[in-house]
Amino acid sequence: MLKITSTTDPRLARLPPAIRIVVTNQLLALRSTCRGDPDPEKDGFVGYVEPQDTPQSVESAIGLSLSQIEGVFLDGGCMVGVILWGNSGAGVSLVCPQSFAHALQVAQQLREHLPSKESSDERSLQP
């Protein structure tokens, strides 16, 4: 999993354009919440779930259980899972592409938190 806190992170260039847009939008939302450059320890970060990631590797990277997901929404071909650290808005946004073979176990856990309409829309994209 990639932990990203800046729109100038050079690793963003490796992501496909559609996914880069989703990650960048989440970074801009994080910047807006913390009113400037986020401190990953205090304000949170955006986590890009890589194809080989497992629930265990993601949990290790974020330091939290995926059972703490507050909600998931769809954005630009990705599921975005939100884990808040408290009432301040700080936390983690997990971006996981909806591609069929992308981090299957992580995607399944995110899918379980989709609202029912989005979940059925997402299933219709599966082969």
Side-chain angles (χ1 to χ4, degrees), residues 20 44-45 47 71 74 83-85 94 103-104 107-108 120 123 126:
R20 187 178 328 129
F45 55 88
L74 299 177
I83 300 175
L84 300 177
W85 291 344
L94 294 174
L104 292 175
Q108 178 56 39
S120 63
R123 278 193 296 273
Q126 299 291 324

Side-chain angles (χ1 to χ4, degrees), residues 55 58-68 83-85 91-92:
V58 171
E59 289 174 344
S60 176
I62 66 175
L64 296 166
S65 169
L66 290 177
S67 67
Q68 295 180 308
I83 300 175
L84 300 177
W85 291 344
V92 179

Side-chain angles (χ1 to χ4, degrees), residues 88-100:
S88 67
V92 179
S93 295
L94 294 174
V95 176
C96 182
Q98 290 179 280
S99 147
F100 180 67

